[in-house]
Each structure stands twice: as C-alpha cells, then as structure tokens.
Amino acid sequence: MGRLAGLQGETFDVAIIGGGIVGCGIARDAAMRGLRVLIVERGDFGGGTTSASTRIIHGGLRYLEMLDLRLVRLDLRERETLLRISPHLVKPLEFLIPFFRRDRTSSLKMRAGLALYDALSYDKALPSRRWLAPEQGRTVEPALNRPDLRGVAAYHDARIDSPERLALENVIDAGGHHATAVNYCEAVSLVTADGRASGVRLRDRLNDDAASIPAKVVVNATGAWFDRVTHALTARSSAAIRMTKGIHIVCQPVTSHALVLFSKVDGRLMFAIPRGGLTWIGTTDTDFTGDPADARATRQDVQYVLASVGDAFPALRQEDVLYTTAGVRALVRRGGSASSVSRMHRIVLGEPVAPAGVISVLGGKITGYRAIAEEATDAVCRQLGTADRSSRTAETPLPGARDQFGGPREDDGRDGVTSHLYDLYGTRAEDVLALARSDARLATPLSAAYPDIGAQVIYSVRHEHCLQLSDFLRRRSLLGASADQGLDAAQAAAHLMGAELGWTNTDTAAQVERYKQDVATTQMFRHEP
Ligand SMILES: Cc1cc2nc3c(=O)[nH]c(=O)nc-3n(C[C@H](O)[C@H](O)[C@H](O)COP(=O)(O)OP(=O)(O)OC[C@H]3O[C@@H](n4cnc5c(N)ncnc54)[C@H](O)[C@@H]3O)c2cc1C
C-alpha cells in the first residue's frame, strides 16, 4: 500500500505543510497536546532553509544593533530553553570580538551592546561577557596574534551543529505522540468547503501517488516557499514575505574560536565558526527571487565573504574554499535594505493572507522556533475549541535528552565512536550501539576518516524517516559537513540503505551519482568566470 493510501479515511485535527524547524516544532507541540496531527514535507525534514543556517542559537547582536529588543529577548529566553531541553544538540559557544587599531567599529559601542545583551538574558545559565587585554587575546586565539590588536570582547551564545537533527527530533517526538509525518510529500492544493479550508491535496514525490486528506485546520509553515505555496494552494497571488539569500564558505581551520568580525566591504557583522575540524565563514544577505531550492553561492558571493574577512585571514584564497552552503530567509515583508528587515515572526489566521481555516506562519529564526510553534499551536487550538490544552514543550526534553536508564550515565571512558554517537543522538545512541552489537558488520566505520558506523544507516532508515542517500549523509549524520562532504562514505552508506529499502544496483548507483551532483553544486562558484 502506498504511503498516502494509508492515510485515506483519516480526518486530522491539523495538517502542517512544511517540515522545516518551524513546522516540525508545531507538529511536536500539537501532538503533545493530544491533537491528531499530519505533517508533510516536500523534501526531507530540515532540508530547507533550516539546513543552510549559520547554526548558532543566539539572541543576535545584529538585531540588537537594529534595536529589535523584543526579538532579542525572545531568542535569548529560547536559547536557554533549548540548552535545557536538547543539551546533546545545543551547546554553549564562546564568541570573541577582536578590535584592531584601524577598525571602524567602536569597541565602546560594542561593549555597551554586550552589557545590554547580558541584561536581556538576566535569567541565563551561560557565563557573562568578559574583556580580554591585547596580550590575553593573542594567547587565547593565535588567529588574533597581531600587533595592532586593541583588545577582545568575549560573550557566550550557543551552537547547534545539526539543526536538521533538531527538526528531526521534533518529528520523532511528534510521532511518539501519534502524529503522522511524511517526507517527500508535497501539498499541491487546498481542499475547501464553504470557502473554508477542510483539507489538503497531497502528492507523494517518490511514487507520484496523490490523495486528498481532510483536516480541520491547515498550517502553512513553508518558510521561504510561503508565497509560492499560497499561490499553488489557493491560486491567489501572495507577497507576504521578502526573501534574502545567505551563504557560507567552508574551509580548512583558520581559527580555533568562534569570531565576530566586521566586513571590510560594508561593515556588516560576520561570523567565523570552527565546526567539525573546519571553519565556516558567513554570511551574506541579498534580495532573492525564484525558487529557494535553486539558491546557491555564486563566485561573487564567495568573493564578498573573502574580501569581508580579508584583514582577519589575509592568506585565505578562493582555492582554499572546500564548499559553500546557501539558503533563503523568509522575512515578514517590510521596506528597507535586506540586512535591516526584522527577523520577528508573524502568525496570521485566515484572511487576508489565506482563506479561513489556514494558519500562516511567517518569518522567525531557528533559535525562536519552539516559541513560534507554541504560539502557532495556541492559534490551532483556539480554532478547534481546545484552547484549554497548553504547551509542554518548554519543559519536556527532546527524545535524545531523555534519560532512558533511570539515572545519570557515566560518560568517562567512552571510546571515540560511542562519544560521537552520544554527541549526535544523545541517549538514543544506546539504540544505535545495540544494533552495532547485534551485527559486527554494522559496527564497522563507513569510511576510514570518520567515526560514523553502519548501524547509523540502518537506524536512520528504520527509525528516522531516512529515504535517500543525501538524507543520511547530510541530515542524519554530520558526514555531509565534513571536508569531503561524506563522499568517502557514500558508497558504503548507499549499499546498506539499498539493502534495507530494497533498491536495485541501478537505484543504488543513481543515489550515489545524485549525491555527487549535490556536492558539485556547492562548488559551482569555482567554474564561474
Ligand atoms: C544564511 C542563513 C543563516 C541563518 N543562520 C541562523 C542562525 O544561525 N540561527 C538562527 O536561529 N536562524 C538562522 N537563520 C534563519 C533560519 O535558518 C530560518 O529562520 C529557519 O530555518 C526557517 O525555518 P522554517 O521551518 O520556517 O523554514 P524551512 O526550513 O525552509 O522549512 C520550510 C519547508 O517547507 C517545505 N515546503 C515547501 N513547499 C512545500 C509544499 N508544497 N509541501 C510540503 N512542504 C513544502 C520546504 O521543502 C522546506 O523544508 C539563518 C538563515 C539563513 C538563510
């Protein structure tokens, strides 16, 4: 039976379109409140803009500069919540802001900004800001070893190496509360009755099946695809969001600390972040039109980033860029330059954005996703007449943060593979390890360079909605973010996936080929004039 046929005959309380971090967060919240939930994603969960982010959980110094204090406060509060409910995925990270003699940015202004940042996160568990004298700064971070260093401001935010897994753990938890989650399934039109949404028509992109599924409320959480999806669902033209593209370059390590730098080109705030033994540098913020799925880093984007950080890393050249990432922000439409538009979200019930029965979720950051999901689910409950059910997502740990063993686990003495699995899966690592113990072949690494093992592939297919090779390499593991983007492991992973999913040799070869093409897209800037 096809995946959609299995849904026929069901009426859902809410159908959520879009499986980015926001849609997945809503699915979890709504399912935990006892609603019958369907979430559909046209690609893979977390594979849209969520996968293209800088991967930091932050209030945002940039938004402080714009005096968006409400947004900064909300995100600083949520940063603390995420550190609490998903400590295996969201981890504290100290940022250094160096000041050099000829800098245009005033260190006094930045120090005042950090004092305000601390004040706005008065309830935080993270350490407060500190100031490092030049000699201290040079010792702490060799990349700052310059005679013109005037001092370094240091402050804490948090990092999330896999926002894709954060989205996924929300889906897994939603599933644990009886939600139905289907990836590679696109919402193609709205079903209406008396001018009100009464369901969605879906197309399974893996086998071209289609079905109309009744739902009492429909949520459009499609991020940068919002206007396109609204048009497809309702045939109305929509201009609710403004899209801006952001890219990163990924290179061999040039710093051992996360740095905040000010672009030499236009003064914008940039990040250089150590991740998985490499350095990510970004980002850009330029208006974008077209299908967000086609966003990629051009040579011009790469040149801008390199020129922006040229003072900090004078030896860095285009040849040193291993690959790029690119994604599209969905900002609630207002005027002004792309960088100056607020990242605050907006939730609209029905008109004027969509017909009654549709809840539109616009804008927002990964950092605030849980609060956005809570607000959106409150709106769903009001529509359903179940407003007495309140959210429990701020207090309930995500699946990998739950203690499955009834007591604290000793993490001393873990070997490299076990530590790596705990970093990725939290306490669910035990399930992966149990698989590896059941079959010695699954304990074998997928490639000589990385600790990932075969059991992860099997586990992803059986328990984590993993259907394509790129799902595993890019979104279930961190292999896709390594120097070779997981190419070395691709064949072994495809072989194991193929055996689980019944692929022919031709299917397996096609998956590997498609993944190689994905990788080539991240390096296309090299071939542009
Ligand atoms: C360069 C860059 C850096 C960023 N850095 C950070 C950061 O460090 N920290 C932070 O907090 N935020 C950051 N952000 C913002 C953050 O990434 C986004 O706000 C967030 O990921 C948006 O999530 P979403 O769920 O709304 O959208 P998405 O993740 O894009 O999800 C929307 C989903 O809808 C799906 N979809 C589209 N059409 C359909 C359809 N018809 N049917 C079914 N599904 C459909 C898409 O495939 C997509 O997966 C950054 C953004 C960018 C671009």
Side-chain angles (χ1 to χ4, degrees):
M1 186 163 63
R3 300 188 302 166
L4 295 185
L7 302 181
Q8 301 277 13
E10 290 219 41
T11 298
F12 290 93
D13 290 320
V14 55
I16 300 154
I17 309 173
I21 189 69
V22 171
C24 295
I26 299 170
R28 175 183 192 232
D29 197 331
M32 283 174 66
R33 294 194 210 192
L35 303 184
R36 276 166 305 162
V37 174
L38 169 68
I39 175 167
V40 293
E41 161 56 49
R42 77 183 291 281
D44 187 24
F45 297 117
T49 304
T50 298
S51 67
S53 65
T54 309
R55 299 167 185 242
I56 54 184
I57 298 299
H58 63 151
L61 287 184
R62 192 179 290 153
Y63 317 125
L64 200 59
E65 225 175 0
M66 291 155 60
L67 290 177
D68 212 337
L69 299 190
R70 197 162 69 94
L71 172 68
V72 177
R73 170 62 199 147
L74 175 114
D75 284 344
L76 286 173
R77 191 196 71 202
E78 286 306 305
R79 181 189 71 187
E80 295 302 307
T81 305
L82 293 181
L83 283 162
R84 217 172 41 239
I85 65 169
S86 49
H88 56 305
L89 295 170
V90 178
K91 296 175 182 164
L93 179 64
E94 188 174 44
F95 286 81
L96 304 181
I97 316 178
F99 294 96
F100 299 102
R101 218 161 287 135
R102 277 184 312 136
D103 271 351
R104 276 185 289 171
T105 316
S106 139
S107 67
L108 266 181
K109 189 176 143 199
M110 190 46 75
R111 288 169 82 169
L114 287 179
L116 179 57
Y117 205 60
D118 267 344
L120 287 169
S121 53
Y122 53 84
D123 47 359
K124 67 174 179 289
L126 292 174
S128 292
R129 70 197 183 282
R130 57 188 182 128
W131 175 257
L132 309 181
E135 54 285 7
Q136 244 181 318
R138 289 189 200 103
T139 317
V140 165
E141 176 49 63
L144 304 180
N145 190 2
R146 280 171 41 182
D148 59 340
L149 186 69
R150 279 193 291 140
V152 178
Y155 71 100
H156 272 79
D157 261 322
R159 63 173 231 260
I160 172 152
D161 289 347
S162 178
E164 299 88 346
R165 287 201 66 86
L166 184 65
L168 183 72
E169 285 214 18
N170 276 272
V171 167
I172 289 169
D173 209 20
H177 292 85
H178 314 294
T180 302
V182 194
N183 48 357
Y184 297 99
C185 178
E186 181 170 18
V188 288
S189 60
L190 204 62
V191 182
T192 54
D194 303 325
R196 192 189 157 83
S198 61
V200 273
R201 182 143 187 92
L202 303 176
R203 183 173 74 89
D204 187 332
R205 296 180 72 220
L206 296 182
N207 60 17
D208 239 358
D209 244 5
S212 294
I213 307 296
K216 295 176 191 159
V217 176
V218 174
V219 175
N220 182 350
T222 53
W225 284 264
F226 184 89
D227 286 333
R228 299 171 80 86
V229 171
T230 300
H231 180 66
L233 294 184
T234 63
R236 301 170 173 206
S237 68
S238 169
I241 56 156
R242 175 171 178 178
M243 296 194 286
T244 76
K245 185 179 81 169
I247 74 125
H248 299 94
I249 60 171
V250 181
C251 55
Q252 291 296 349
V254 289
T255 172
S256 53
H257 284 79
L259 301 180
V260 175
L261 302 165
F262 297 93
S263 166
K264 228 176 72 171
V265 179
D266 55 13
R268 284 183 61 253
L269 194 144
M270 315 276 297
F271 293 107
I273 299 180
R275 178 169 296 127
L278 305 172
T279 301
W280 287 46
I281 308 177
T283 175
T284 59
D285 205 346
T286 49
D287 276 311
F288 182 84
T289 50
D291 186 342
D294 298 333
R296 63 174 185 84
T298 61
R299 187 183 170 100
Q300 200 186 355
D301 296 324
V302 171
Q303 291 297 336
Y304 166 83
V305 174
L306 287 171
S308 289
V309 298
D311 267 359
F313 311 120
L316 194 63
R317 298 273 174 278
Q318 185 177 295
E319 306 79 81
D320 303 318
V321 178
L322 297 168
Y323 61 88
T324 58
T325 73
V328 178
R329 301 176 187 86
L331 312 177
V332 180
R333 189 170 273 283
R334 293 183 192 103
S337 74
S339 297
S340 72
V341 179
S342 170
R343 269 58 173 165
M344 195 63 171
H345 66 279
R346 193 170 155 220
I347 292 171
V348 184
L349 276 61
E351 302 289 357
V353 177
V358 176
I359 294 176
S360 303
V361 185
L362 306 164
K365 285 162 57 194
I366 293 177
T367 307
Y369 92 88
R370 194 214 57 81
I372 300 172
E374 178 174 339
E375 197 182 323
T377 312
D378 284 347
V380 171
C381 286
R382 278 197 301 277
Q383 298 255 309
L384 293 170
T386 54
D388 53 323
R389 302 185 193 179
S390 52
S391 177
R392 289 181 291 122
T393 55
E395 304 85 49
T396 314
L398 281 158
R402 286 181 202 149
D403 182 8
Q404 306 183 356
F405 314 99
R409 295 272 298 177
E410 192 56 67
D411 65 359
D412 293 346
R414 280 180 191 159
D415 61 35
V417 170
T418 307
S419 297
H420 174 68
L421 295 182
Y422 265 84
D423 262 358
L424 214 49
Y425 300 92
T427 50
R428 292 169 75 245
E430 283 301 323
D431 301 334
V432 181
L433 287 164
L435 258 179
R437 280 192 288 268
S438 72
D439 181 344
R441 282 169 308 173
L442 299 183
T444 312
L446 294 167
S447 107
Y450 303 104
D452 296 85
I453 56 173
Q456 291 173 247
V457 179
I458 307 298
Y459 187 73
S460 302
V461 172
R462 291 187 191 162
H463 305 289
E464 299 195 320
H465 303 274
C466 182
L467 296 173
Q468 309 277 327
L469 179 60
S470 60
D471 299 348
F472 177 74
L473 294 172
R474 288 210 185 284
R475 291 172 290 276
R476 305 302 180 277
S477 70
L478 293 174
L479 284 162
S482 63
D484 80 337
Q485 297 191 65
L487 283 177
D488 200 33
Q491 197 67 49
H495 186 72
L496 286 166
M497 276 190 84
E500 275 293 296
L501 290 166
W503 292 346
T504 62
N505 288 345
T506 315
D507 294 335
T508 306
Q511 288 280 338
V512 174
E513 198 41 50
R514 204 173 311 145
Y515 188 68
K516 284 183 182 164
Q517 283 166 19
D518 277 4
V519 168
T521 308
T522 69
Q523 298 164 341
M524 250 150 87
F525 65 93
R526 288 191 191 146
H527 310 294
E528 285 173 6

